[in-house]
C-alpha cells in the first residue's frame, strides 16, 4: 500500500499530466472548430447511425501522438482506434481514455454541441478528466480530490431530490431495432409519469454529463455509451459533488456501457430503479 508521501508524489505527477491534457484538448478543439465550417467526409461504423468523419480520426491521432511523445510508457484507449480493432483494455497502467469528437452526428450537421474528452486512469481508478466544448470554448476540468471547474469557476451539482422538479438528460444510443426503441420510449414514459419537468437529448454524452456537474440538469442516464464518453465526465461530476453509478444501482463499471449520474444519491437510485436495461456488448469484450 502506498504511503502518504508516495500518494502526494503521484498526485503532483498526475497534475502535470492534466496540464498537458488541457493543452492538447485546446489544440484539438482548434482543429475541430476549423473543420466545423467545411463539408465533412462521413462513413459509418457499427450501424448506419454510428458515424465517423476524417476529422474524428485526425483529431484522435493528434491527441494520442502528442501524449505518447511525452508519456511513451502510458496506455491509450481511443474511440476510433477501438473501432479499427484495437483492444479496449483497462489495466493498472496509467491509461488515457479519449473521445476525439463527442457528438459526431452534431458535428456533421453543424449542431454546436461538440466536445473533446480526455480521461485518465491509474490502477483502474479515474484520476482526472478534461472536456472541452469546442464551439463555445468552455473547458471542464477535474482532478480527484481537487474539485471540478468550468473555465476556472468551481462547479456544484444540483441538490434536487424531488423527481417532479427535475430536468433529466439522456441519449438514444446506436441501436434502433423495435425492441430497443420500445424499451427506450418506455423508460422515458416512466420518468415522465413521475412528472419530471422535462427530458432532453442534446447529442453529446460528455456535454450532457457536464450539465449535471454544473447543476443545469439534475440527472442523466444512458445505455450504449462507451468508456471514452464516461471517463472524464465521471471525475468531473464526482468532484462537483455528484453521484455516478451503474444502472443496476451498483458502482459504476467503466466498461459496461451504461450509466446513471445525478446531483443526489436519491435521484440516481430512483432512476436506476425505474429504467429497464438495454443490453450492449461491453467495451472490453475483446480484451482477452
Amino acid at each position: 500500500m502506498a504511503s502518504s508521501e508516495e500518494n502526494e508524489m503521484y498526485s503532483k505527477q498526475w497534475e502535470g499530466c492534466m496540464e498537458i491534457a488541457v493543452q492538447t484538448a485546446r489544440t484539438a478543439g482548434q482543429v475541430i472548430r476549423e473543420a466545423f465550417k467545411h463539408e465533412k467526409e462521413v462513413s459509418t461504423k457499427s450501424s448506419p447511425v454510428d458515424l465517423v468523419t476524417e476529422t474524428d480520426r485526425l483529431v484522435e491521432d493528434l491527441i494520442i501522438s502528442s501524449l505518447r511523445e511525452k508519456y511513451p510508457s502510458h496506455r491509450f484507449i481511443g474511440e476510433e482506434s477501438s473501432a479499427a480493432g484495437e483492444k479496449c483494455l483497462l489495466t493498472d497502467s496509467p491509461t488515457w481514455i479519449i473521445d476525439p469528437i463527442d457528438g459526431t452526428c452534431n458535428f456533421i450537421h453543424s449542431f454546436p454541441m461538440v466536445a473533446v474528452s480526455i480521461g485518465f486512469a491509474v490502477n483502474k481508478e479515474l484520476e482526472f478528466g478534461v472536456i472541452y466544448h469546442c464551439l463555445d470554448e468552455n473547458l471542464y476540468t477535474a482532478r480527484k480530490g481537487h474539485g471540478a471547474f468550468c473555465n476556472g469557476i468551481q462547479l456544484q451539482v444540483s441538490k434536487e431530490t424531488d423527481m417532479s422538479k427535475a430536468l433529466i438528460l439522456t441519449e438514444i444510443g446506436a441501436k434502433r431495432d423495435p425492441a430497443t426503441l420500445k424499451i427506450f420510449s418506455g423508460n422515458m414514459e416512466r420518468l415522465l409519469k413521475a412528472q419530471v419537468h422535462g427530458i432532453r437529448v442534446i447529442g453529446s454524452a460528455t456535454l450532457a454529463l457536464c450539465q449535471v456537474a454544473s447543476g443545469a440538469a439534475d440527472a442523466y442516464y444512458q445505455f450504449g455509451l462507451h468508456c471514452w464518453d464516461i471517463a472524464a465526465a465521471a471525475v468531473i461530476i464526482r468532484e462537483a459533488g455528484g453521484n455516478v453509478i451503474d444502472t443496476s444501482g451498483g458502482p459504476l463499471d467503466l466498461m459496461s456501457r451504461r450509466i446513471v449520474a445525478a446531483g443526489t444519491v436519491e435521484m440516481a437510485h430512483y432512476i436506476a430503479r425505474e429504467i429497464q436495461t438495454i443490453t450492449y456488448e461491453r467495451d472490453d469484450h475483446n480484451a482477452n
Side-chain angles (χ1 to χ4, degrees):
M1 189 173 178
S3 67
S4 59
E5 291 83 2
E6 287 174 320
N7 286 334
E8 181 64 24
M9 179 187 72
Y10 286 125
S11 178
K12 289 186 181 299
Q13 183 180 348
W14 309 145
E15 182 181 9
C17 289
M18 189 169 113
E19 290 170 0
I20 296 298
V22 166
Q23 295 169 18
T24 304
R26 288 190 185 279
T27 301
Q30 291 173 357
V31 174
I32 294 166
R33 274 198 304 278
E34 182 58 33
F36 196 80
K37 306 170 189 175
H38 305 293
E39 189 172 344
K40 290 86 174 176
E41 183 180 330
V42 183
S43 54
T44 61
K45 295 186 289 188
S46 65
S47 78
V49 294
D50 187 9
L51 307 173
V52 64
T53 70
E54 285 305 307
T55 307
D56 290 81
R57 299 185 180 104
L58 173 69
V59 171
E60 183 167 308
D61 288 345
L62 181 156
I63 293 170
I64 292 179
S65 62
S66 297
L67 295 174
R68 183 169 277 144
E69 184 178 353
K70 292 179 172 61
Y71 308 107
S73 65
H74 290 188
R75 297 178 61 89
F76 297 86
I77 296 173
E79 177 175 8
E80 306 314 328
S81 48
S82 295
E86 286 193 24
K87 289 184 177 181
C88 189
L89 177 62
L90 186 63
T91 70
D92 288 340
S93 299
T95 303
W96 300 82
I97 306 168
I98 298 156
D99 192 343
I101 301 181
D102 182 49
T104 296
C105 183
N106 289 349
F107 173 70
I108 290 164
H109 290 274
S110 299
F111 185 78
M113 298 298 285
V114 177
V116 177
S117 179
I118 303 175
F120 184 75
V122 184
N123 296 319
K124 300 188 181 72
E125 293 290 328
L126 294 167
E127 290 290 335
F128 67 74
V130 173
I131 295 173
Y132 184 48
H133 188 324
C134 310
L135 280 304
D136 72 5
E137 300 188 58
N138 278 337
L139 178 72
Y140 298 89
T141 59
R143 186 160 62 96
K144 188 165 70 175
H146 291 79
F149 301 86
C150 179
N151 296 339
I153 299 171
Q154 189 156 13
L155 298 175
Q156 174 65 55
V157 296
S158 160
K159 293 305 180 184
E160 186 59 68
T161 59
D162 185 347
M163 287 298 294
S164 70
K165 297 178 181 177
L167 179 64
I168 311 296
L169 304 182
T170 189
E171 293 294 336
I172 297 171
K175 282 186 180 181
R176 304 293 170 85
D177 60 277
T180 297
L181 292 177
K182 185 176 181 180
I183 297 171
F184 177 79
S185 59
N187 286 340
M188 292 186 73
E189 184 178 347
R190 277 186 285 278
L191 296 177
L192 289 168
K193 282 180 177 177
Q195 302 300 313
V196 298
H197 278 175
I199 299 176
R200 302 286 183 266
V201 176
I202 65 171
S204 166
T206 59
L207 290 178
L209 288 161
C210 285
Q211 300 313 304
V212 176
S214 69
D218 299 291
Y220 175 90
Y221 70 94
Q222 190 188 348
F223 299 94
L225 73 178
H226 292 273
C227 59
W228 44 81
D229 299 309
I230 299 171
V235 186
I236 293 168
I237 290 175
R238 286 168 176 163
E239 288 299 312
N243 300 268
V244 185
I245 63 172
D246 185 73
T247 54
S248 67
L252 177 69
D253 178 349
L254 193 60
M255 294 293 168
S256 70
R257 300 189 62 189
R258 57 196 202 182
I259 190 173
V260 177
T264 60
V265 172
E266 294 89 344
M267 192 166 290
H269 283 278
Y270 179 91
I271 293 171
R273 286 194 304 270
E274 289 296 309
I275 58 178
Q276 184 180 348
T277 298
I278 299 172
T279 303
Y280 281 84
E281 194 169 50
R282 291 177 60 85
D283 277 332
D284 56 3
H285 69 95
N286 66 348
N288 295 323

